Amino acid sequence: MDPELEPFLPMFPKDDLADPIASRKVFAERAAMRPAPDISGMKVEDRTVPADPDVPVRIYRPHLAHGAIVWLHGGGLVMGSLDTDHPWAARLADDSGAVVISVDFRLAPEHRFPAALDDAYAVLEWTAEHAAELGVDPERIAVGGHSAGGGLAAAVALRAREEQGPAIRFQLLNQPGLDDRLETWSARNFTDTPWLYRDKLAAIWRHYLGSAPATPYAAPARADDLSGLPPAHIATAEFDPLRDEGIGYALRLLQAGVPVELHQWPGTFHGSQAIPTAEVSQRQVAELGAALRRAMAG
């Protein structure tokens, strides 16, 4: 473990998600402890995207933005909101120069798969249709997210390919959750890692899927064919049960002819970039913005 991260390990207590409502409350309280982001260089606006049901979004518009990203928060598809992700979305907009459209998708177990995917996809379609209003190039629209949001972004890209939906320029997948089977080495062996570990991951999938079988739209690692998907930046953490499915997905994308940048961060754990004082966290967060900036410029 990175020595700068070790002192913070007691701040990440176990949570088996047995009570999703209580877990959301704790998650929100922890997020609220982060310092407020500097949004002086952008316009931030809450909107509602018409859909069935309508989807709340928060739009971060830096000056002279050229592209946009549909951004999906972390929280295991059970926790998280526009507010918990506010510091991350604002930082991503600031670092990348892209319009960030943060999505308040419906959460499990009250709203199981495919509710979150439907919400995210509706926002992608809305973004493409309103590119001129947003002041962005419709050829420069990306999808991305943290953790479960990263897996959701990968699913949005699969669905857009299958349905000949809006063109997606890029996938920004940070520590993505992609596989419900929990059969990789990291998923089997990381049973006591900080914040995310095997049993918690299993609970997340139970909440999201219920008794329904997983499809590639729920767990993108199940997709047989990854050809024709957008270029991707995938970041993984060393002590994370999701590590190997992220690396495996990157390799399969490469083998399918999709350009991929894979960044495996040594000494880190799932979500450890939330510890802003650690030098490795600062590099992790900066690299996400830089990767998106490069993709929008290319």
Side-chain angles (χ1 to χ4, degrees):
M1 191 72 69
D2 186 290
E4 287 190 275
L5 298 177
E6 281 193 54
F8 293 90
L9 297 187
M11 291 178 57
F12 292 84
K14 291 256 185 270
D15 176 12
D16 60 7
L17 296 177
D19 183 346
I21 305 299
S23 296
R24 277 175 208 152
K25 185 171 182 288
V26 172
F27 190 76
E29 288 169 352
R30 289 183 176 279
M33 293 166 60
R34 288 184 58 81
D38 179 6
I39 55 173
S40 58
M42 66 190 79
K43 179 182 177 184
V44 181
E45 177 187 15
D46 285 352
R47 294 276 295 270
T48 301
V49 168
D52 186 20
D54 293 348
V55 186
V57 297
R58 184 168 294 164
I59 303 173
Y60 302 77
R61 298 170 67 168
H63 301 311
L64 303 176
H66 295 294
I69 184 168
V70 175
W71 182 250
L72 303 159
H73 64 74
L77 302 161
V78 175
M79 304 172 287
S81 66
L82 297 180
D83 290 336
T84 64
D85 217 54
H86 181 56
W88 302 109
R91 174 69 187 270
L92 183 62
D94 196 38
D95 286 355
S96 68
V99 174
V100 173
I101 302 160
S102 184
V103 183
D104 203 7
F105 53 83
R106 286 170 287 171
L107 299 175
E110 297 92 332
H111 304 284
R112 300 194 194 274
F113 171 80
L117 176 61
D118 289 345
D119 291 350
Y121 196 77
V123 174
L124 171 68
E125 292 184 311
W126 179 87
T127 302
E129 291 165 5
H130 292 78
E133 178 193 339
L134 293 167
V136 300
D137 181 349
E139 300 299 316
R140 285 178 163 80
I141 295 174
V143 295
H146 285 306
S147 188
L152 198 54
V156 168
L158 283 169
R159 182 167 165 182
R161 182 193 66 177
E162 293 303 310
E163 298 183 5
Q164 288 82 52
I168 297 174
R169 186 181 185 88
F170 184 62
Q171 306 177 73
L172 183 64
L173 312 180
N174 187 48
Q175 302 170 2
L178 300 158
D179 198 341
D180 66 296
R181 293 166 290 192
L182 310 186
E183 293 171 355
T184 66
W185 187 93
S186 61
R188 286 185 286 108
N189 286 276
F190 288 150
T191 59
D192 198 32
T193 39
W195 183 244
L196 188 62
Y197 43 90
R198 181 182 174 84
D199 286 351
K200 185 175 182 179
L201 198 49
I204 285 167
W205 284 109
R206 285 195 301 271
H207 284 314
Y208 188 48
L209 295 172
S211 59
T215 69
Y217 284 176
R222 287 182 173 268
D224 293 327
D225 177 14
L226 301 184
S227 63
L229 288 169
H233 175 100
I234 299 179
T236 57
E238 182 175 359
F239 301 108
D240 181 355
L242 301 179
R243 182 193 70 194
D244 293 351
E245 63 202 64
I247 293 171
Y249 198 70
L251 291 173
R252 289 186 55 219
L253 284 168
L254 281 170
Q255 290 158 0
V258 177
V260 176
E261 183 171 351
L262 172 64
H263 203 135
Q264 155 57 33
W265 293 92
T268 62
F269 58 89
H270 189 86
S272 63
Q273 73 272 6
I275 299 169
T277 55
E279 191 265 346
V280 66
S281 299
Q282 294 165 19
R283 289 191 291 123
Q284 283 177 284
V285 175
E287 179 58 24
L288 291 174
L292 183 57
R293 182 178 285 275
R294 291 192 297 270
M296 291 293 122

